[in-house]
Amino acid sequence: QVQLVESGGGSVQAGGSLTLSCAASGRIFSIDRMGWYRQAPGKQRELVATITSRITTTYADSIKGRFSISGDNAKNTVYLLMNRLEPEETGVYYCNAYIRSSAVSYGADYWGKGTLVTVSS
């Protein structure tokens, strides 16, 4: 009953910026962790950034301070601010969340359908 919906993908020139959003909806008791993964053409899916309920963040080494992940608890939404984008970062970006649906249930991972980001030279 939980859904993750991404938005904000599009095309941008190298060196440009883009902001992605992911909103969780449905039966939600708590969200322990939300984050972003990406999959470039012909490559495996990789971690981009995550944020926990305690506001602890994790970033891929390749980000090098260019991205920032943040969340809005009231809206069950996570954002990814991407700056100085590079062509090799083109791909489908997927939202991921670990969510508990009730007070007595263990959590589970949920995935969005993805949003395409294209960075041109």
Side-chain angles (χ1 to χ4, degrees):
Q1 294 181 331
V2 173
Q3 291 191 101
L4 303 178
V5 180
E6 304 101 331
S7 62
S11 299
V12 65
Q13 295 288 327
S17 300
L18 208 60
T19 299
L20 305 181
S21 299
C22 174
S25 62
R27 187 177 179 182
I28 300 173
F29 175 74
S30 66
I31 301 176
D32 293 336
R33 183 194 72 251
M34 294 189 76
W36 293 91
Y37 292 72
R38 67 188 174 197
Q39 188 166 24
K43 304 294 183 180
Q44 295 188 15
R45 186 177 301 183
E46 65 177 354
L47 170 72
V48 177
T50 62
I51 184 168
T52 71
S53 61
R54 294 186 178 275
I55 322 301
T56 299
T57 58
T58 299
Y59 296 94
D61 291 339
S62 62
I63 299 305
K64 300 178 181 179
R66 296 178 295 113
F67 294 5
S68 178
I69 188 170
S70 62
D72 186 334
N73 289 333
K75 298 180 179 180
N76 288 331
T77 299
V78 66
Y79 306 94
L80 183 66
L81 281 63
M82 304 184 292
N83 298 310
R84 289 174 284 150
L85 283 160
E86 303 170 356
E88 59 265 32
E89 293 176 309
T90 290
V92 178
Y93 284 66
Y94 297 91
C95 180
N96 167 255
Y98 187 86
I99 298 174
R100 294 178 63 194
S101 58
S102 74
V104 296
S105 298
Y106 289 106
D109 269 313
Y110 295 87
W111 292 88
K113 295 181 179 180
T115 184
L116 179 64
V117 172
T118 302
V119 185
S120 58
S121 302

